[in-house]
Amino acid sequence: MSGVDRSADRRQRFAARVRRTPGYLAVKDGVLPRLRGNTALTDLVWRVFTPAHGLGEARRMFRSDGLDVPDADRLPVIAFTVLGADDAGVDRALRAITELRRDTAAFRAVLVVDRPVLARVRDHGIVADHVIGEADWYGDADAYAEYVGRRLVSVVQGFRVWHLAHLGPGGQVSATDEQLIRAIRGAMSSSGAAAPDDSPSGAHP
Amino acid sequence: MSPARGKDPVVLLVSSNGAGMGHLTRLLAYQRRLPSGLRPHVVSLSQAVPVVSTYGVAWEYLPSKQATGMDSGEWRWLFAERMVEVVQRLRPAVLVFDGTHPYAGLDEAIASSPGTRAVWSRRAMWKERRNSHQLEKVSWFDAVLEPGDLSAPADRGATVGTTAHRVGPVTLVDRAECSERAAARAALGLPADGPLALVSLGAGNINDTTDEVGAAVSALSARGVGVCVTQAGIAEQARAADDVHLVRHFPISEHLAAFDVAIAAAGYNSFHEHLRLGLPTLFVPNDETSLDDQVARAEYAAAQGWALCRRSLAGGGAQAAVDELLEHGPELAERALAADPGNGAADAARLLADLALDGARR
């Protein structure tokens, strides 16, 4: 179990003990869903606590390699897909994402690929995710699109993605996606998250 | 990735994210020996997973907790969701998990496909009193497969005495499949002549003799032995005058004849590859692993006269150890070969095939 630290091991055992506590299932399956689903209670909590929300408020553990900025754990996660691309397309995608990160220092990145380039993606400080390429799919052809759809839902949910940008086989970021990404930092500053030093030079490819 | 098609029963091989290639290599050792009529498919948390396409095996990647930097709770959700999707999509006859820590969510995935037989491939030699709570997870599986360890008599870990299908030590290749010295050197792009040593001790500083790698390289160089390393980061530290070569090949075990000697950590795969394939080796066990008892493994091998073992080379004993390796290494390696019980991978594959075909009939 290389890489598993002992305090995590202890937390895991504690969680397992809690799950075995009498009444655990009643709380998990009964009480909590009722609390979450209670619109009056939700409204009251908002009125009383006015919880901060929006860009740059929530802290989340996620890789932010190469982003030497304060509060990198508050940055949103953006997932990019580059599917059906050749090596040159993947390289263009990596260059485009790296440039956007360097310029904005405003997001953490996932790149979804369908080629054996996982290490190359990681070398750019970007989390790699993978879908089986269409040419390698051995189920029914019709099922492939459904599979990719399911996998993208998983990417969005699993990484709590703030925006999903499809780069296409050419590996280029669309003008509208670029417009949105370049606006993140300004939106974060207005919601109270720390901005990087004067220039975005804190970001390294 | 292989575009295998058809209705053959799927053997789903799931590797955890250990350091290096150990889990993937072991699963490939099983896969290579499966009979035809089964369709292997690898799901791995290792970014090295595309290498399995060398063997024509279909693969997919699932980012590990370390690769994403996520906290454990969130990552477990992702792992469970992905594994359930994979299992429901492939409906494997057999699922084999290789690792010492079955992740939460694997149980959910297995339970989501009632026809799937689940096997926990779990090497032994755990450090004493470590990880015993993981053994409770045996209830998730239909069988436990334990690849044997040549140092099993020195095992003091929690798996000793537990119920398991125990097979011989598992290596990806057998001696008959390995290339001869000249062909091996050509395949790896190494000089045809002169003594060469494989140094595989993890990361290190080649120019610092207080570092394990640096001490090993210095002692070998002093005797005119060229050094081969597998990590680009180490090779880049070498000066122009140094006789240091970077070797990048998978599996390197098929070309071990390229090397006269080796200085290596004592992880399961390299330990068994070096002993089973006859490479004279000085083991320097890595005691920083969380679970794998490399010290016990290497010291047992040394006590049997199969190899040399030093807890450290950085304290000044490197030259004497290297001299002993160069002088006595070949006879130690011969002794190890004589004690080799054979490759357990074929027996393991037989077990998996029986389960798969039994599952497919049900």
Side-chain angles (χ1 to χ4, degrees), chain A residues 40-62:
Chain A
L41 187 62
T42 306
D43 179 61
L44 188 61
V45 167
W46 273 92
R47 286 174 192 278
V48 172
F49 298 105
T50 323
H53 69 291
L55 270 171
E57 292 298 345
R59 290 188 185 275
R60 275 198 63 228
M61 299 270 287
F62 199 78

Side-chain angles (χ1 to χ4, degrees), chain A residues 1 6 129 138 150 154 160, chain B residues 4 39 41 81 100 130:
Chain A
M1 64 169 197
R6 292 201 201 155
D129 201 359
Y138 49 73
R150 280 199 308 274
S154 172
R160 291 211 232 165
Chain B
R39 178 154 58 88
H41 185 106
E81 192 264 345
T100 51
R130 296 266 180 97

Side-chain angles (χ1 to χ4, degrees), chain B residues 1-54:
Chain B
M1 203 177 340
S2 161
R5 291 171 195 277
K7 300 292 182 191
D8 290 341
V10 172
V11 176
L12 180 60
L13 305 161
V14 182
S15 89
S16 62
N17 184 48
M21 300 279 296
H23 299 294
L24 269 178
T25 304
R26 201 153 37 241
L27 290 173
L28 281 173
Y30 304 154
Q31 174 273 324
R32 289 188 66 208
R33 291 161 179 88
L34 288 172
S36 58
L38 296 172
R39 178 154 58 88
H41 185 106
V42 169
V43 172
S44 179
L45 307 183
S46 166
Q47 294 198 337
V49 61
V51 80
V52 308
S53 57
T54 312

Side-chain angles (χ1 to χ4, degrees), chain B residues 94-170:
Chain B
V94 172
L95 179 154
V96 187
F97 173 80
D98 190 90
T100 51
H101 188 121
Y103 306 108
L106 191 61
D107 51 340
E108 196 184 327
I110 294 166
S112 75
S113 177
T116 296
R117 308 291 294 271
V119 177
W120 183 3
S121 169
R122 185 189 70 191
R123 63 149 178 74
M125 293 297 288
W126 295 6
K127 286 180 176 172
E128 208 169 354
R129 291 186 294 279
R130 296 266 180 97
N131 210 38
S132 52
H133 62 287
Q134 290 294 327
L135 292 179
E136 293 169 15
K137 293 178 180 172
V138 72
S139 63
W140 299 0
F141 299 91
D142 296 288
V144 174
L145 169 61
E146 184 178 299
D149 200 302
L150 286 165
S151 294
D155 192 346
R156 300 286 174 268
T159 61
V160 174
T162 57
T163 302
H165 293 267
R166 292 188 165 83
V167 298
V170 168

Side-chain angles (χ1 to χ4, degrees), chain B residues 180-229:
Chain B
E180 298 293 331
R181 177 185 170 97
R185 288 202 173 185
L188 297 178
L190 295 170
D193 301 316
L196 288 176
L198 175 64
V199 176
S200 179
L201 294 170
N205 184 346
I206 205 169
N207 299 311
D208 178 2
T209 53
T210 63
D211 174 275
E212 299 296 345
V213 175
V217 170
S218 171
L220 288 162
S221 300
R223 295 294 179 259
V225 179
V227 172
C228 303
V229 296

